[in-house]
Amino acid sequence: MHKDVGEIFFTEEAIAKRVVELGRQISSDYAGKSVLLVGVLKGSFVFMADLMRNIDLDCEVEFMEVSSYGNELQSTGVVKILKGAHFEVEGRHVLIIEDILDSGCTLSYLKEYFLAMNPASFSICSLLDKPARRQADIKADYLGFVCPDVFIVGYGLDFAGQYRNLPYVGSLRPEIYS
Ligand code: IMP
Ligand code: MG
């Protein structure tokens, strides 16, 4: 385990197992359709890479980049689109892939943003959910795990750009950010 990690919440094995289940569920729900997977950079890229290989459908992959954090632990609530939807959305089955739903500000902003472009459908797949901290009225259609209300890193999630490469999801020791 990395020396800065306090506790592991979701092991590499547990994540892999859940990702297979999510892929199956998505493949069956969208059977016969082609889906546009839109990853929200940067946090979602590890999850997305594993998830898409468990989706048995015609699919395309696109990315957007959004920022609401800076180097802080709390969302600023102000969502900035750094890289927008530079691809066709109208008439397509859009499935947004996120690392974590926290305040919900990012995804409720993105939902409005996409619905304005008339997709055939719009759904959200998030690896993690911290319902305790929700401000916006939004939930994931596909969810990996509910997680405790602590700051977590790993499997794509960062603190100040670090720890995305950890293969598990865990908390940081408080002395790292205090
Ligand atoms: P929201 O807009 O507050 O729902 O925040 C969503 C984004 O904040 C996620 O996509 C993550 O990038 C980031 N985030 C929220 N909670 C955590 C955490 O515990 N660790 C790392 N990043 C987080
Ligand atoms: Mg993110």
Side-chain angles (χ1 to χ4, degrees), residues 69-141:
Y69 262 55
N71 280 348
E72 309 300 319
L73 289 168
Q74 301 264 325
S75 170
T76 56
V78 180
V79 181
K80 239 188 353 205
I81 297 209
L82 304 178
K83 180 181 165 74
H86 50 286
F87 43 83
E88 188 65 37
V89 169
E90 189 166 348
R92 311 196 57 192
H93 294 285
V94 174
L95 179 58
I96 298 279
I97 314 293
E98 249 291 35
D99 51 358
I100 185 166
L101 245 171
D102 187 32
S103 71
C105 296
T106 305
L107 280 174
S108 66
Y109 185 89
L110 285 181
K111 184 174 181 179
E112 296 291 308
Y113 178 89
F114 275 96
L115 290 184
M117 292 186 277
N118 296 313
S121 67
F122 176 88
S123 298
I124 293 167
C125 176
S126 182
L127 175 69
L128 298 159
D129 186 7
K130 270 191 210 167
R133 294 171 45 89
R134 194 76 85 255
Q135 290 169 30
D137 178 24
I138 189 124
K139 67 186 232 339
D141 302 282

Side-chain angles (χ1 to χ4, degrees), residues 2-30:
H2 192 290
K3 64 177 179 21
D4 297 349
V5 170
E7 187 183 344
I8 295 181
F9 292 124
F10 305 106
T11 62
E12 189 172 0
E13 294 74 23
I15 295 169
K17 183 164 174 273
R18 190 72 189 112
V19 167
V20 169
E21 292 168 357
L22 287 172
R24 284 209 190 108
Q25 197 186 335
I26 291 166
S27 306
S28 118
D29 290 356
Y30 287 86

